[in-house]
Amino acid sequence: MNATNPWNLPCIPRPRAPWRVEEVLPDSGSGALVVRDADFRLWVYRPDAHERHLRDFPTGTRAKRDVAACLLSRVMGIGLVPLTILVSDGPQGSGSMQRWIDDDIENPPVRADVTERLPPHWHGFLLGVDEDDREIGIAHSPHPALRALALFDAVANNADRKGRHVLVGPNPDLGGVAQVWAVDNGLTFHTDPKLRTVLWGWAGQPLEPVEEMMLNEVLNVGDADFEGLITHDEIDAMRHRAQDLLEFGAFPGPSGLRPALPWPPM
């Protein structure tokens, strides 16, 4: 057992060259490609060369933040982020590779729709009205895995938890039933408060004992565990967020000082 895998989650083999590009990932703002490795496994490859400049995140750090998010997911024992690693020899050079998830698009855990068509037992809120004056809302499932993801995002300070970044599908390496997955985690770990998410359904709810255990594991990580992925100040800020959540004893809610939702939310 070690600080970055205290729950003894299974270790998945890393991808190996040669790579074969299968397709360009639709609607990707980072030039992401779907590639197949030497073992015929599918990965989402985000080349550093295509990273967009953002005002509040340093350029050239998104791939490393993606990998750090995968590491934090293991530290917290939730395993919701598919294996994500850095590569230097991708089809277009350095970048990140994240294991491809075969998403069940017919049963998304987050939906935006006319409010009367959203599941009544889901957590949701109003977005606005359409051209026919119908109320449009966004809602997410009350599934416990999404609760764990909401806590993860609070610790990671995720600035961009859109609905389409939450998938449902089987584990591509271990099989079994479908589970929740969190993808596209590159806008994370800023030292300033940045949390923007569609998963506000548990705001103000008390932490469960297992969630306190998850946060305590974050306090146990050392700077060396995230070395080369995020800065020392960002590692320290991550631990401070975990400590603040433990002291608060509940899930955070929107601050009212900044936008609570990413845009677009899906």
Side-chain angles (χ1 to χ4, degrees), residues 32-141:
L33 306 173
V34 179
V35 304
R36 197 176 295 274
D37 69 5
D39 299 309
F40 304 102
R41 296 179 301 163
L42 289 174
W43 301 79
V44 176
Y45 164 59
R46 292 185 173 87
D48 289 335
H50 291 177
E51 181 179 331
R52 290 182 301 169
H53 173 73
L54 296 174
R55 182 181 60 187
D56 49 353
F57 280 86
T59 302
T61 66
R62 183 166 180 171
K64 294 178 180 180
R65 294 175 191 276
D66 247 334
V67 175
C70 180
L71 184 57
L72 177 62
S73 175
R74 295 179 69 82
V75 167
M76 295 180 68
I78 57 177
L80 296 179
V81 178
L83 176 63
T84 313
I85 59 106
L86 294 175
V87 295
S88 59
D89 62 343
Q92 297 179 10
S94 63
S96 66
M97 286 211 183
Q98 185 172 83
R99 197 69 168 92
W100 171 264
I101 300 300
D102 190 12
D103 184 29
D104 180 2
I105 60 175
E106 298 299 323
N107 296 287
V110 183
R111 302 180 192 175
D113 204 342
V114 177
T115 54
E116 62 189 28
R117 291 203 291 258
L118 293 171
H121 63 289
W122 281 22
H123 304 296
F125 39 90
L126 185 66
L127 290 178
V129 295
D130 65 9
E131 62 276 8
D132 297 319
D133 288 330
R134 297 179 302 175
E135 292 185 340
I136 303 298
I138 188 169
H140 65 78
S141 164

Side-chain angles (χ1 to χ4, degrees), residues 224-238:
D225 297 320
F226 284 78
E227 186 77 41
L229 298 176
I230 54 178
T231 68
H232 292 290
D233 285 345
E234 289 168 338
I235 298 168
D236 197 43
M238 173 184 68

Side-chain angles (χ1 to χ4, degrees), residues 240-265:
H240 276 297
R241 287 190 295 271
Q243 184 63 54
D244 289 345
L245 285 165
L246 282 167
E247 293 176 0
F248 183 54
F251 279 74
S255 68
L257 302 176
R258 59 186 182 276
L261 292 175
W263 197 261

